[in-house]
Amino acid sequence: MITIEPPSCSSSLVFIGKNSRGQWVAQEQNGLFGGLFVSRANAVRYALFENGHRPEAIIETAGLIELDMNALPFTAATSVERLQQRRVA
């Protein structure tokens, strides 16, 4: 039996909330995935799909949340690069 998992199932927390334009936002805490949605239900459905159906890992924000897809995901490679940059500086 082949099990198909969502692409980002190893991610930790997913934040959902409204942005300054009233759109619903869902974004993984490290910026690995995210999107804009017309309803809370769609944002939650997307978050559940992407985080491996773990509702306990979805946090709804009280304040505004803006989608930021420019964040670099934290990986072993980026952590090594950051350490090297600190040593050079």
Side-chain angles (χ1 to χ4, degrees), residues 16-56:
I16 66 168
K18 285 190 172 183
N19 66 12
S20 60
R21 291 169 301 286
Q23 301 163 313
W24 281 91
V25 174
Q27 183 159 15
E28 193 270 340
Q29 72 181 31
N30 295 316
L32 295 176
F33 60 82
L36 296 174
F37 304 90
V38 296
S39 70
R40 180 185 180 279
N42 288 342
V44 170
R45 187 177 303 120
Y46 171 79
L48 286 170
F49 174 78
E50 288 291 340
N51 79 359
H53 297 281
R54 294 179 15 238
E56 70 278 4

Side-chain angles (χ1 to χ4, degrees), residues 27-32 68-74 82:
Q27 183 159 15
E28 193 270 340
Q29 72 181 31
N30 295 316
L32 295 176
D68 180 11
M69 298 307 290
N70 292 321
L72 292 175
F74 186 81
R82 290 175 188 164

Side-chain angles (χ1 to χ4, degrees), residues 71-75 77-87:
L72 292 175
F74 186 81
T75 64
T78 58
S79 63
V80 169
E81 291 173 14
R82 290 175 188 164
L83 286 174
Q84 290 173 344
Q85 289 173 353
R86 287 184 194 159
R87 291 180 185 157

